[in-house]
């Protein structure tokens, strides 16, 4: 999965971005890469979907006005 939250603030990470990154970094995922303009994570379908649910709820509750999300299914674990 890949995601970004908005609105952007180049001077300081907004609360919604911090919360979203914390959700992904503490989820039980296989790989996480956090960057200033996009974040990616990999893992099994159930874990990714659980993380996405939490990410959306917490980012929106923390002031995000938009969450851009892309989920790709790769390999045999695509259920």
């Amino acid at each position: 999965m890949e995601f970004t939250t908005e609105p952007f603030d180049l001077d300081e990470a907004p609360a919604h971005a911090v919360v979203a990154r914390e959700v992904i970094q503490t989820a039980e995922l296989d790989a996480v890469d956090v960057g200033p303009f996009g974040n990616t994570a990999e893992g099994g379908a159930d874990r990714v979907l659980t993380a996405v649910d939490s990410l959306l709820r917490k980012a929106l509750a923390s002031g995000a006005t938009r969450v851009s999300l892309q989920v790709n299914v790769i390999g045999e674990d695509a259920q």
Side-chain angles (χ1 to χ4, degrees):
M1 102 167 111
E2 182 176 351
F3 72 92
T4 58
T5 61
E6 295 179 40
F8 294 112
D9 183 341
L10 296 178
D11 294 328
E12 184 177 337
H16 60 80
V18 172
V19 166
R21 290 175 184 161
E22 287 175 355
V23 167
I24 295 305
Q25 289 175 324
T26 59
E28 295 181 19
L29 299 171
D30 297 334
V32 174
D33 183 25
V34 174
F37 298 108
N39 307 283
T40 61
E42 298 177 6
D46 287 337
R47 288 183 177 171
V48 169
L49 292 173
T50 297
V52 165
D53 178 68
S54 183
L55 163 73
L56 291 173
R57 292 176 189 277
K58 291 181 178 183
L60 293 171
S62 296
T65 57
R66 171 184 263 183
V67 178
S68 300
L69 174 69
Q70 180 175 323
V71 176
N72 296 319
V73 178
I74 302 170
E76 293 180 24
D77 195 34
Q79 296 179 15

